[in-house]
Structure formats: C-alpha cells, structure tokens
Amino acid sequence: MASSPGLLKRTWLFLARPSARYSVLALTLIGLVIGVVLLLGVHTALHATNTQEFCLSCHEMRDTVFQEYKTTIHYTNRSGVRAGCPDCHVPVELGPKLYRKAEASKELWGSIMGEIDTPEKFEAHRMEMATREWQRMKASNSATCRTCHTFDAMGEAQKPINLKRHQKAAAAGKTCIDCHKGIAHKLPKEYNNEEE
C-alpha cells in the first residue's frame, strides 16, 4: 500500500503535468465555464438566503422576533417603507455580506440543534443573541441602519429635539445602536435590569 505523502506527490505531479489531450485554450475555457457556474451558484445562494421568507422559515424567528417586529415602526410607518430582516442584519457590501453569511451558518446550526427551539430557550438566550447583534452593529458603525437613515437625509425634517440629540451623538462618535437598542425587537429582561 502506498504511503500518503507518495500518493499526494503523485497526484500533484499528475495535476501539474501538461495535458497531451486538451489544448491550453480548451482547458482555459473549461476553467472559465466552471468559474462562471460557481459564481452564479454563489450569487443565487446569497440571493435566496437574503430574503425575509428565508429568515422566517425558522419557527424560532417567525414565532418570536418577527411578531415583535410587526409592532414596530420598521414594519408599519407613514412612509410605507418596510425594513425586512436582511435590511438590518445583513451588510450590503459583498465582503461583509459573505462574512455575515458565514457567521449565520453557526446560528443555523444552533437552530438545527434546538438551542432556541422553544420560547423558554429563546428567552434564555435573548441577551446573548442581542448583545452579539449590538456588537456587530457597533463594529460596523451601524452600516445597515445607515443604508436607510443618514444624518444628512434626516436633517431639518426631524423634530428639533431629535436633531439636537443626533448632532450631539454624532459629535460624541456614537452610532445608531448606541441609543436605539430595542427599536425593532423586545429588549432582553437582563438589559432592563442593567439599566435600572
């Protein structure tokens, strides 16, 4: 029986050897086709997993945070604009989006393993999940919030007290999530106890 290093070396030599059967052009075209197919596959997967419907396919989300979200201004407001799960929880830029999707695979595993599959388990982990989300938003300077909300766009149209608060927060280097925790979901009980 051949040893592993010998097998690896033979495999590498076989892959690195010039082809006697196919031209370089044919191999390049085959590589390009495979690359395009892979790229389209990744694009399709990103698109399919970046929808409200996908998020709500887990009963943990549909039965808990989605019900809370439906009572907020992000769901129903006078402008008629509705922010969905991906709008707040998935970055727009490709690199951060791919990173977030990789992070979310761990959350998906937790769902499959039943870590939050009952309302009681969900509540027991709510603070941990919220804290992780707040840290992610803070680290990105609330980038997902800013795709819809910018100080420039809100400007003078907001109430004077809110304008003053936003200017003060911006001057202090604060980001949206510093002041707007619980804007779309119920705050964890532990958070309320910390604030008292």
Side-chain angles (χ1 to χ4, degrees):
M1 186 167 171
S3 67
S4 289
L7 179 62
L8 288 174
K9 185 176 181 180
R10 283 196 311 264
T11 303
W12 176 252
L13 288 173
F14 173 76
L15 292 174
R17 184 175 24 163
S19 173
R21 182 177 290 177
Y22 302 104
S23 70
V24 172
L25 179 61
L27 291 173
T28 302
L29 289 175
I30 290 168
L32 282 172
V33 168
I34 290 170
V36 167
V37 167
L38 286 174
L39 219 82
L40 289 173
V42 168
H43 174 74
T44 301
L46 280 176
H47 182 70
T49 60
N50 209 39
T51 64
Q52 184 97 346
E53 293 74 27
F54 178 80
C55 297
L56 299 180
S57 65
C58 293
H59 78 88
E60 296 92 345
M61 297 299 115
R62 185 182 59 246
D63 298 341
T64 55
V65 290
F66 180 66
Q67 299 308 315
E68 298 165 10
Y69 153 78
K70 288 193 322 186
T71 67
T72 71
I73 197 161
H74 279 103
Y75 188 80
T76 304
N77 55 66
R78 65 186 172 275
S79 68
V81 175
R82 181 174 289 165
C85 302
D87 296 320
C88 298
H89 296 283
V90 182
V92 175
E93 300 81 21
L94 183 61
K97 180 184 285 192
L98 290 172
Y99 183 80
R100 179 69 187 114
K101 293 292 182 178
E103 279 182 330
S105 64
K106 185 175 117 180
E107 296 163 8
L108 192 59
W109 179 253
S111 177
I112 291 167
M113 298 308 291
E115 288 181 23
I116 57 171
D117 62 347
T118 66
E120 297 78 20
K121 287 180 183 178
F122 190 92
E123 287 305 320
H125 289 279
R126 186 185 284 267
M127 185 66 178
E128 169 195 342
M129 293 184 293
T131 300
R132 188 172 48 242
E133 196 61 20
W134 296 334
Q135 288 170 345
R136 185 187 63 74
M137 292 179 109
K138 176 108 172 136
S140 73
N141 193 23
S142 297
T144 54
C145 301
R146 294 174 192 276
T147 58
C148 297
H149 306 283
T150 64
F151 286 133
D152 294 340
M154 291 185 294
E156 304 296 325
Q158 57 188 317
K159 293 178 182 175
I161 186 74
N162 292 337
L163 177 61
K164 196 175 280 187
R165 286 177 182 159
H166 283 134
Q167 288 171 338
K168 188 176 177 184
K174 290 189 174 185
T175 187
C176 308
I177 199 63
D178 289 321
C179 301
H180 294 284
K181 290 178 176 86
I183 193 78
H185 302 295
K186 187 171 80 175
L187 285 168
K189 289 178 186 141
E190 300 89 343
Y191 181 80
N192 292 331
N193 293 337
E194 286 178 8
E195 294 298 301
E196 292 174 355

mmCIF file of all heavy atoms in Angstrom, residues 84-132:
data_model
loop_
_atom_site.group_PDB
_atom_site.id
_atom_site.type_symbol
_atom_site.label_atom_id
_atom_site.label_comp_id
_atom_site.label_asym_id
_atom_site.label_seq_id
_atom_site.Cartn_x
_atom_site.Cartn_y
_atom_site.Cartn_z
ATOM 1 N N GLY A 84 -36.918 44.812 6.140
ATOM 2 C CA GLY A 84 -37.011 43.390 6.459
ATOM 3 C C GLY A 84 -35.782 42.909 7.203
ATOM 4 O O GLY A 84 -34.824 43.662 7.408
ATOM 5 N N CYS A 85 -35.793 41.660 7.603
ATOM 6 C CA CYS A 85 -34.673 41.081 8.362
ATOM 7 C C CYS A 85 -33.310 41.365 7.707
ATOM 8 O O CYS A 85 -32.397 41.866 8.369
ATOM 9 C CB CYS A 85 -34.858 39.571 8.537
ATOM 10 S SG CYS A 85 -36.369 39.065 9.355
ATOM 11 N N PRO A 86 -33.141 41.051 6.412
ATOM 12 C CA PRO A 86 -31.834 41.274 5.799
ATOM 13 C C PRO A 86 -31.426 42.749 5.752
ATOM 14 O O PRO A 86 -30.236 43.055 5.779
ATOM 15 C CB PRO A 86 -31.996 40.732 4.371
ATOM 16 C CG PRO A 86 -33.183 39.850 4.421
ATOM 17 C CD PRO A 86 -34.070 40.397 5.485
ATOM 18 N N ASP A 87 -32.393 43.652 5.690
ATOM 19 C CA ASP A 87 -32.055 45.074 5.634
ATOM 20 C C ASP A 87 -31.281 45.515 6.873
ATOM 21 O O ASP A 87 -30.408 46.384 6.791
ATOM 22 C CB ASP A 87 -33.319 45.930 5.491
ATOM 23 C CG ASP A 87 -34.038 45.664 4.188
ATOM 24 O OD1 ASP A 87 -33.351 45.499 3.157
ATOM 25 O OD2 ASP A 87 -35.285 45.611 4.204
ATOM 26 N N CYS A 88 -31.612 44.946 8.011
ATOM 27 C CA CYS A 88 -30.959 45.331 9.266
ATOM 28 C C CYS A 88 -29.823 44.390 9.666
ATOM 29 O O CYS A 88 -28.896 44.810 10.343
ATOM 30 C CB CYS A 88 -31.984 45.365 10.403
ATOM 31 S SG CYS A 88 -33.310 46.565 10.153
ATOM 32 N N HIS A 89 -29.916 43.142 9.268
ATOM 33 C CA HIS A 89 -28.987 42.141 9.792
ATOM 34 C C HIS A 89 -27.951 41.630 8.799
ATOM 35 O O HIS A 89 -27.099 40.829 9.180
ATOM 36 C CB HIS A 89 -29.781 40.957 10.361
ATOM 37 C CG HIS A 89 -30.625 41.326 11.533
ATOM 38 N ND1 HIS A 89 -30.096 41.512 12.788
ATOM 39 C CD2 HIS A 89 -31.954 41.573 11.638
ATOM 40 C CE1 HIS A 89 -31.066 41.842 13.630
ATOM 41 N NE2 HIS A 89 -32.203 41.901 12.954
ATOM 42 N N VAL A 90 -28.006 42.077 7.538
ATOM 43 C CA VAL A 90 -27.038 41.618 6.540
ATOM 44 C C VAL A 90 -26.449 42.834 5.827
ATOM 45 O O VAL A 90 -27.186 43.622 5.238
ATOM 46 C CB VAL A 90 -27.698 40.677 5.497
ATOM 47 C CG1 VAL A 90 -26.666 40.182 4.498
ATOM 48 C CG2 VAL A 90 -28.383 39.504 6.180
ATOM 49 N N PRO A 91 -25.129 42.997 5.888
ATOM 50 C CA PRO A 91 -24.497 44.128 5.192
ATOM 51 C C PRO A 91 -24.743 44.094 3.688
ATOM 52 O O PRO A 91 -24.973 43.033 3.107
ATOM 53 C CB PRO A 91 -23.001 43.934 5.485
ATOM 54 C CG PRO A 91 -22.948 43.053 6.677
ATOM 55 C CD PRO A 91 -24.160 42.174 6.606
ATOM 56 N N VAL A 92 -24.676 45.248 3.066
ATOM 57 C CA VAL A 92 -24.908 45.363 1.629
ATOM 58 C C VAL A 92 -23.653 44.994 0.840
ATOM 59 O O VAL A 92 -23.735 44.311 -0.180
ATOM 60 C CB VAL A 92 -25.362 46.803 1.270
ATOM 61 C CG1 VAL A 92 -25.483 46.985 -0.222
ATOM 62 C CG2 VAL A 92 -26.671 47.123 1.965
ATOM 63 N N GLU A 93 -22.478 45.417 1.305
ATOM 64 C CA GLU A 93 -21.229 45.177 0.583
ATOM 65 C C GLU A 93 -20.913 43.689 0.566
ATOM 66 O O GLU A 93 -21.150 42.978 1.544
ATOM 67 C CB GLU A 93 -20.059 45.938 1.222
ATOM 68 C CG GLU A 93 -20.233 47.434 1.261
ATOM 69 C CD GLU A 93 -21.120 47.898 2.427
ATOM 70 O OE1 GLU A 93 -21.266 47.148 3.408
ATOM 71 O OE2 GLU A 93 -21.680 48.992 2.336
ATOM 72 N N LEU A 94 -20.330 43.211 -0.537
ATOM 73 C CA LEU A 94 -20.117 41.780 -0.740
ATOM 74 C C LEU A 94 -19.235 41.134 0.330
ATOM 75 O O LEU A 94 -19.593 40.099 0.891
ATOM 76 C CB LEU A 94 -19.531 41.513 -2.133
ATOM 77 C CG LEU A 94 -19.336 40.039 -2.475
ATOM 78 C CD1 LEU A 94 -20.669 39.293 -2.452
ATOM 79 C CD2 LEU A 94 -18.658 39.891 -3.826
ATOM 80 N N GLY A 95 -18.086 41.725 0.627
ATOM 81 C CA GLY A 95 -17.174 41.128 1.615
ATOM 82 C C GLY A 95 -17.831 40.952 2.981
ATOM 83 O O GLY A 95 -17.880 39.837 3.515
ATOM 84 N N PRO A 96 -18.341 42.050 3.565
ATOM 85 C CA PRO A 96 -19.035 41.911 4.850
ATOM 86 C C PRO A 96 -20.255 40.998 4.784
ATOM 87 O O PRO A 96 -20.569 40.290 5.737
ATOM 88 C CB PRO A 96 -19.442 43.346 5.190
ATOM 89 C CG PRO A 96 -18.452 44.200 4.468
ATOM 90 C CD PRO A 96 -18.145 43.448 3.191
ATOM 91 N N LYS A 97 -20.933 40.989 3.626
ATOM 92 C CA LYS A 97 -22.103 40.112 3.471
ATOM 93 C C LYS A 97 -21.682 38.648 3.547
ATOM 94 O O LYS A 97 -22.307 37.844 4.237
ATOM 95 C CB LYS A 97 -22.798 40.385 2.141
ATOM 96 C CG LYS A 97 -24.028 39.511 1.914
ATOM 97 C CD LYS A 97 -24.647 39.738 0.553
ATOM 98 C CE LYS A 97 -25.397 41.040 0.560
ATOM 99 N NZ LYS A 97 -26.268 41.217 -0.609
ATOM 100 N N LEU A 98 -20.600 38.282 2.836
ATOM 101 C CA LEU A 98 -20.119 36.904 2.870
ATOM 102 C C LEU A 98 -19.683 36.516 4.279
ATOM 103 O O LEU A 98 -19.964 35.404 4.738
ATOM 104 C CB LEU A 98 -18.962 36.716 1.885
ATOM 105 C CG LEU A 98 -19.333 36.774 0.403
ATOM 106 C CD1 LEU A 98 -18.079 36.782 -0.457
ATOM 107 C CD2 LEU A 98 -20.241 35.619 0.029
ATOM 108 N N TYR A 99 -19.015 37.437 4.963
ATOM 109 C CA TYR A 99 -18.586 37.174 6.341
ATOM 110 C C TYR A 99 -19.798 36.945 7.241
ATOM 111 O O TYR A 99 -19.829 36.018 8.042
ATOM 112 C CB TYR A 99 -17.732 38.339 6.857
ATOM 113 C CG TYR A 99 -17.193 38.110 8.242
ATOM 114 C CD1 TYR A 99 -16.070 37.307 8.431
ATOM 115 C CD2 TYR A 99 -17.805 38.671 9.357
ATOM 116 C CE1 TYR A 99 -15.567 37.073 9.690
ATOM 117 C CE2 TYR A 99 -17.313 38.441 10.625
ATOM 118 C CZ TYR A 99 -16.190 37.642 10.785
ATOM 119 O OH TYR A 99 -15.699 37.405 12.048
ATOM 120 N N ARG A 100 -20.813 37.776 7.090
ATOM 121 C CA ARG A 100 -22.036 37.647 7.907
ATOM 122 C C ARG A 100 -22.749 36.338 7.608
ATOM 123 O O ARG A 100 -23.282 35.692 8.509
ATOM 124 C CB ARG A 100 -22.966 38.848 7.646
ATOM 125 C CG ARG A 100 -24.253 38.793 8.413
ATOM 126 C CD ARG A 100 -24.000 38.986 9.908
ATOM 127 N NE ARG A 100 -25.212 38.766 10.644
ATOM 128 C CZ ARG A 100 -25.400 37.763 11.511
ATOM 129 N NH1 ARG A 100 -24.434 36.924 11.774
ATOM 130 N NH2 ARG A 100 -26.545 37.624 12.117
ATOM 131 N N LYS A 101 -22.781 35.937 6.342
ATOM 132 C CA LYS A 101 -23.408 34.666 5.977
ATOM 133 C C LYS A 101 -22.661 33.499 6.617
ATOM 134 O O LYS A 101 -23.281 32.534 7.073
ATOM 135 C CB LYS A 101 -23.453 34.490 4.460
ATOM 136 C CG LYS A 101 -24.350 35.463 3.753
ATOM 137 C CD LYS A 101 -25.792 35.206 4.083
ATOM 138 C CE LYS A 101 -26.707 36.146 3.326
ATOM 139 N NZ LYS A 101 -28.106 35.888 3.580
ATOM 140 N N ALA A 102 -21.328 33.584 6.664
ATOM 141 C CA ALA A 102 -20.546 32.524 7.321
ATOM 142 C C ALA A 102 -20.876 32.486 8.816
ATOM 143 O O ALA A 102 -21.039 31.409 9.394
ATOM 144 C CB ALA A 102 -19.056 32.759 7.096
ATOM 145 N N GLU A 103 -20.980 33.669 9.447
ATOM 146 C CA GLU A 103 -21.373 33.732 10.858
ATOM 147 C C GLU A 103 -22.762 33.125 11.064
ATOM 148 O O GLU A 103 -22.996 32.412 12.029
ATOM 149 C CB GLU A 103 -21.434 35.185 11.335
ATOM 150 C CG GLU A 103 -20.142 35.805 11.698
ATOM 151 C CD GLU A 103 -20.357 37.234 12.203
ATOM 152 O OE1 GLU A 103 -21.301 37.912 11.779
ATOM 153 O OE2 GLU A 103 -19.546 37.654 13.027
ATOM 154 N N ALA A 104 -23.661 33.429 10.163
ATOM 155 C CA ALA A 104 -25.042 32.965 10.291
ATOM 156 C C ALA A 104 -25.147 31.448 10.183
ATOM 157 O O ALA A 104 -26.083 30.854 10.727
ATOM 158 C CB ALA A 104 -25.928 33.636 9.242
ATOM 159 N N SER A 105 -24.191 30.808 9.522
ATOM 160 C CA SER A 105 -24.239 29.344 9.427
ATOM 161 C C SER A 105 -24.111 28.721 10.814
ATOM 162 O O SER A 105 -24.699 27.682 11.089
ATOM 163 C CB SER A 105 -23.160 28.824 8.485
ATOM 164 O OG SER A 105 -21.874 29.101 8.993
ATOM 165 N N LYS A 106 -23.383 29.385 11.705
ATOM 166 C CA LYS A 106 -23.278 28.908 13.092
ATOM 167 C C LYS A 106 -24.636 29.040 13.791
ATOM 168 O O LYS A 106 -25.046 28.164 14.545
ATOM 169 C CB LYS A 106 -22.205 29.720 13.828
ATOM 170 C CG LYS A 106 -21.918 29.248 15.226
ATOM 171 C CD LYS A 106 -20.763 30.017 15.835
ATOM 172 C CE LYS A 106 -21.280 30.769 17.026
ATOM 173 N NZ LYS A 106 -20.287 31.553 17.706
ATOM 174 N N GLU A 107 -25.326 30.137 13.515
ATOM 175 C CA GLU A 107 -26.654 30.338 14.101
ATOM 176 C C GLU A 107 -27.634 29.300 13.568
ATOM 177 O O GLU A 107 -28.480 28.789 14.305
ATOM 178 C CB GLU A 107 -27.153 31.751 13.787
ATOM 179 C CG GLU A 107 -26.305 32.830 14.420
ATOM 180 C CD GLU A 107 -26.512 34.199 13.810
ATOM 181 O OE1 GLU A 107 -27.426 34.370 12.981
ATOM 182 O OE2 GLU A 107 -25.737 35.103 14.156
ATOM 183 N N LEU A 108 -27.502 28.975 12.295
ATOM 184 C CA LEU A 108 -28.354 27.958 11.687
ATOM 185 C C LEU A 108 -28.117 26.602 12.353
ATOM 186 O O LEU A 108 -29.059 25.865 12.637
ATOM 187 C CB LEU A 108 -28.076 27.888 10.183
ATOM 188 C CG LEU A 108 -29.036 27.111 9.331
ATOM 189 C CD1 LEU A 108 -30.446 27.672 9.449
ATOM 190 C CD2 LEU A 108 -28.593 27.155 7.874
ATOM 191 N N TRP A 109 -26.852 26.301 12.628
ATOM 192 C CA TRP A 109 -26.508 25.059 13.325
ATOM 193 C C TRP A 109 -27.163 25.035 14.712
ATOM 194 O O TRP A 109 -27.712 24.012 15.132
ATOM 195 C CB TRP A 109 -24.996 24.910 13.432
ATOM 196 C CG TRP A 109 -24.587 23.666 14.156
ATOM 197 C CD1 TRP A 109 -24.062 23.577 15.410
ATOM 198 C CD2 TRP A 109 -24.692 22.329 13.676
ATOM 199 N NE1 TRP A 109 -23.832 22.269 15.736
ATOM 200 C CE2 TRP A 109 -24.219 21.470 14.681
ATOM 201 C CE3 TRP A 109 -25.150 21.762 12.490
ATOM 202 C CZ2 TRP A 109 -24.177 20.090 14.546
ATOM 203 C CZ3 TRP A 109 -25.107 20.381 12.355
ATOM 204 C CH2 TRP A 109 -24.629 19.574 13.376
ATOM 205 N N GLY A 110 -27.131 26.152 15.422
ATOM 206 C CA GLY A 110 -27.781 26.238 16.733
ATOM 207 C C GLY A 110 -29.275 25.992 16.640
ATOM 208 O O GLY A 110 -29.867 25.336 17.509
ATOM 209 N N SER A 111 -29.871 26.476 15.581
ATOM 210 C CA SER A 111 -31.303 26.251 15.365
ATOM 211 C C SER A 111 -31.581 24.773 15.124
ATOM 212 O O SER A 111 -32.507 24.193 15.695
ATOM 213 C CB SER A 111 -31.793 27.086 14.186
ATOM 214 O OG SER A 111 -33.144 26.830 13.923
ATOM 215 N N ILE A 112 -30.765 24.149 14.281
ATOM 216 C CA ILE A 112 -30.934 22.724 13.970
ATOM 217 C C ILE A 112 -30.759 21.876 15.232
ATOM 218 O O ILE A 112 -31.492 20.911 15.442
ATOM 219 C CB ILE A 112 -29.930 22.290 12.872
ATOM 220 C CG1 ILE A 112 -30.301 22.947 11.540
ATOM 221 C CG2 ILE A 112 -29.880 20.770 12.740
ATOM 222 C CD1 ILE A 112 -29.226 22.841 10.478
ATOM 223 N N MET A 113 -29.820 22.275 16.086
ATOM 224 C CA MET A 113 -29.555 21.513 17.306
ATOM 225 C C MET A 113 -30.555 21.813 18.422
ATOM 226 O O MET A 113 -30.498 21.221 19.487
ATOM 227 C CB MET A 113 -28.121 21.779 17.795
ATOM 228 C CG MET A 113 -27.052 21.334 16.803
ATOM 229 S SD MET A 113 -27.243 19.615 16.259
ATOM 230 C CE MET A 113 -26.843 18.750 17.750
ATOM 231 N N GLY A 114 -31.474 22.742 18.191
ATOM 232 C CA GLY A 114 -32.532 23.007 19.158
ATOM 233 C C GLY A 114 -32.138 23.896 20.323
ATOM 234 O O GLY A 114 -32.749 23.844 21.382
ATOM 235 N N GLU A 115 -31.108 24.747 20.129
ATOM 236 C CA GLU A 115 -30.675 25.628 21.221
ATOM 237 C C GLU A 115 -31.732 26.665 21.589
ATOM 238 O O GLU A 115 -31.798 27.104 22.731
ATOM 239 C CB GLU A 115 -29.366 26.328 20.853
ATOM 240 C CG GLU A 115 -28.170 25.410 20.870
ATOM 241 C CD GLU A 115 -26.892 26.138 20.517
ATOM 242 O OE1 GLU A 115 -26.822 27.374 20.671
ATOM 243 O OE2 GLU A 115 -25.953 25.460 20.075
ATOM 244 N N ILE A 116 -32.541 27.087 20.608
ATOM 245 C CA ILE A 116 -33.559 28.119 20.867
ATOM 246 C C ILE A 116 -34.921 27.710 20.315
ATOM 247 O O ILE A 116 -35.705 28.553 19.894
ATOM 248 C CB ILE A 116 -33.122 29.483 20.292
ATOM 249 C CG1 ILE A 116 -32.839 29.379 18.787
ATOM 250 C CG2 ILE A 116 -31.937 30.050 21.043
ATOM 251 C CD1 ILE A 116 -32.615 30.715 18.100
ATOM 252 N N ASP A 117 -35.214 26.422 20.317
ATOM 253 C CA ASP A 117 -36.420 25.931 19.652
ATOM 254 C C ASP A 117 -37.717 26.050 20.455
ATOM 255 O O ASP A 117 -38.780 25.710 19.950
ATOM 256 C CB ASP A 117 -36.225 24.494 19.169
ATOM 257 C CG ASP A 117 -35.968 23.518 20.302
ATOM 258 O OD1 ASP A 117 -35.704 23.972 21.435
ATOM 259 O OD2 ASP A 117 -36.012 22.297 20.049
ATOM 260 N N THR A 118 -37.647 26.548 21.668
ATOM 261 C CA THR A 118 -38.866 26.805 22.441
ATOM 262 C C THR A 118 -38.831 28.261 22.901
ATOM 263 O O THR A 118 -37.747 28.852 23.004
ATOM 264 C CB THR A 118 -38.957 25.891 23.686
ATOM 265 O OG1 THR A 118 -37.901 26.240 24.601
ATOM 266 C CG2 THR A 118 -38.870 24.416 23.310
ATOM 267 N N PRO A 119 -39.980 28.845 23.205
ATOM 268 C CA PRO A 119 -39.981 30.229 23.694
ATOM 269 C C PRO A 119 -39.106 30.406 24.944
ATOM 270 O O PRO A 119 -38.421 31.419 25.083
ATOM 271 C CB PRO A 119 -41.455 30.506 24.002
ATOM 272 C CG PRO A 119 -42.208 29.577 23.103
ATOM 273 C CD PRO A 119 -41.355 28.343 23.005
ATOM 274 N N GLU A 120 -39.097 29.406 25.800
ATOM 275 C CA GLU A 120 -38.296 29.499 27.028
ATOM 276 C C GLU A 120 -36.798 29.504 26.709
ATOM 277 O O GLU A 120 -36.039 30.302 27.272
ATOM 278 C CB GLU A 120 -38.627 28.331 27.979
ATOM 279 C CG GLU A 120 -40.052 28.312 28.486
ATOM 280 C CD GLU A 120 -41.081 27.786 27.466
ATOM 281 O OE1 GLU A 120 -40.693 27.087 26.498
ATOM 282 O OE2 GLU A 120 -42.275 28.118 27.632
ATOM 283 N N LYS A 121 -36.379 28.624 25.812
ATOM 284 C CA LYS A 121 -34.963 28.584 25.419
ATOM 285 C C LYS A 121 -34.581 29.877 24.700
ATOM 286 O O LYS A 121 -33.483 30.399 24.897
ATOM 287 C CB LYS A 121 -34.688 27.389 24.507
ATOM 288 C CG LYS A 121 -34.691 26.047 25.200
ATOM 289 C CD LYS A 121 -34.400 24.967 24.166
ATOM 290 C CE LYS A 121 -34.443 23.584 24.737
ATOM 291 N NZ LYS A 121 -34.208 22.559 23.698
ATOM 292 N N PHE A 122 -35.478 30.370 23.866
ATOM 293 C CA PHE A 122 -35.202 31.615 23.146
ATOM 294 C C PHE A 122 -34.971 32.754 24.138
ATOM 295 O O PHE A 122 -34.004 33.503 24.026
ATOM 296 C CB PHE A 122 -36.343 31.959 22.188
ATOM 297 C CG PHE A 122 -36.010 33.084 21.262
ATOM 298 C CD1 PHE A 122 -35.459 32.824 20.026
ATOM 299 C CD2 PHE A 122 -36.216 34.409 21.628
ATOM 300 C CE1 PHE A 122 -35.122 33.862 19.159
ATOM 301 C CE2 PHE A 122 -35.886 35.447 20.782
ATOM 302 C CZ PHE A 122 -35.332 35.180 19.539
ATOM 303 N N GLU A 123 -35.863 32.873 25.111
ATOM 304 C CA GLU A 123 -35.728 33.935 26.130
ATOM 305 C C GLU A 123 -34.453 33.771 26.944
ATOM 306 O O GLU A 123 -33.812 34.750 27.300
ATOM 307 C CB GLU A 123 -36.952 33.975 27.039
ATOM 308 C CG GLU A 123 -38.188 34.544 26.385
ATOM 309 C CD GLU A 123 -38.000 35.938 25.795
ATOM 310 O OE1 GLU A 123 -37.331 36.795 26.393
ATOM 311 O OE2 GLU A 123 -38.527 36.173 24.693
ATOM 312 N N ALA A 124 -34.079 32.533 27.228
ATOM 313 C CA ALA A 124 -32.854 32.280 27.996
ATOM 314 C C ALA A 124 -31.612 32.743 27.237
ATOM 315 O O ALA A 124 -30.612 33.119 27.847
ATOM 316 C CB ALA A 124 -32.743 30.791 28.331
ATOM 317 N N HIS A 125 -31.684 32.750 25.908
ATOM 318 C CA HIS A 125 -30.531 33.161 25.078
ATOM 319 C C HIS A 125 -30.697 34.561 24.487
ATOM 320 O O HIS A 125 -29.824 35.031 23.771
ATOM 321 C CB HIS A 125 -30.317 32.156 23.935
ATOM 322 C CG HIS A 125 -29.790 30.835 24.380
ATOM 323 N ND1 HIS A 125 -28.463 30.603 24.638
ATOM 324 C CD2 HIS A 125 -30.434 29.663 24.629
ATOM 325 C CE1 HIS A 125 -28.293 29.358 25.017
ATOM 326 N NE2 HIS A 125 -29.482 28.759 25.024
ATOM 327 N N ARG A 126 -31.801 35.228 24.755
ATOM 328 C CA ARG A 126 -32.082 36.521 24.124
ATOM 329 C C ARG A 126 -30.981 37.549 24.379
ATOM 330 O O ARG A 126 -30.533 38.230 23.465
ATOM 331 C CB ARG A 126 -33.427 37.076 24.568
ATOM 332 C CG ARG A 126 -33.808 38.357 23.821
ATOM 333 C CD ARG A 126 -35.088 38.964 24.346
ATOM 334 N NE ARG A 126 -36.268 38.257 23.908
ATOM 335 C CZ ARG A 126 -36.974 38.576 22.829
ATOM 336 N NH1 ARG A 126 -36.621 39.592 22.075
ATOM 337 N NH2 ARG A 126 -38.048 37.891 22.505
ATOM 338 N N MET A 127 -30.522 37.682 25.604
ATOM 339 C CA MET A 127 -29.494 38.680 25.929
ATOM 340 C C MET A 127 -28.201 38.380 25.171
ATOM 341 O O MET A 127 -27.583 39.287 24.609
ATOM 342 C CB MET A 127 -29.256 38.738 27.438
ATOM 343 C CG MET A 127 -28.288 39.824 27.855
ATOM 344 S SD MET A 127 -28.974 41.468 27.517
ATOM 345 C CE MET A 127 -27.687 42.497 28.155
ATOM 346 N N GLU A 128 -27.817 37.120 25.141
ATOM 347 C CA GLU A 128 -26.603 36.711 24.430
ATOM 348 C C GLU A 128 -26.715 37.038 22.939
ATOM 349 O O GLU A 128 -25.796 37.611 22.339
ATOM 350 C CB GLU A 128 -26.402 35.207 24.640
ATOM 351 C CG GLU A 128 -25.356 34.556 23.792
ATOM 352 C CD GLU A 128 -25.478 33.036 23.815
ATOM 353 O OE1 GLU A 128 -26.120 32.467 24.716
ATOM 354 O OE2 GLU A 128 -24.926 32.426 22.884
ATOM 355 N N MET A 129 -27.858 36.702 22.344
ATOM 356 C CA MET A 129 -28.054 36.968 20.913
ATOM 357 C C MET A 129 -28.116 38.469 20.637
ATOM 358 O O MET A 129 -27.517 38.956 19.668
ATOM 359 C CB MET A 129 -29.324 36.277 20.417
ATOM 360 C CG MET A 129 -29.236 34.760 20.437
ATOM 361 S SD MET A 129 -30.703 33.922 19.752
ATOM 362 C CE MET A 129 -31.975 34.338 20.942
ATOM 363 N N ALA A 130 -28.823 39.214 21.484
ATOM 364 C CA ALA A 130 -28.937 40.662 21.288
ATOM 365 C C ALA A 130 -27.571 41.331 21.435
ATOM 366 O O ALA A 130 -27.208 42.188 20.626
ATOM 367 C CB ALA A 130 -29.933 41.244 22.289
ATOM 368 N N THR A 131 -26.831 40.926 22.447
ATOM 369 C CA THR A 131 -25.503 41.518 22.674
ATOM 370 C C THR A 131 -24.598 41.275 21.474
ATOM 371 O O THR A 131 -23.884 42.180 21.029
ATOM 372 C CB THR A 131 -24.872 40.940 23.958
ATOM 373 O OG1 THR A 131 -25.728 41.242 25.062
ATOM 374 C CG2 THR A 131 -23.490 41.514 24.208
ATOM 375 N N ARG A 132 -24.621 40.068 20.953
ATOM 376 C CA ARG A 132 -23.809 39.748 19.768
ATOM 377 C C ARG A 132 -24.209 40.637 18.585
ATOM 378 O O ARG A 132 -23.373 41.175 17.869
ATOM 379 C CB ARG A 132 -23.968 38.263 19.434
ATOM 380 C CG ARG A 132 -23.048 37.771 18.356
ATOM 381 C CD ARG A 132 -23.066 36.253 18.160
ATOM 382 N NE ARG A 132 -24.387 35.688 18.078
ATOM 383 C CZ ARG A 132 -24.876 34.791 18.950
ATOM 384 N NH1 ARG A 132 -24.146 34.377 19.964
ATOM 385 N NH2 ARG A 132 -26.102 34.311 18.790
#
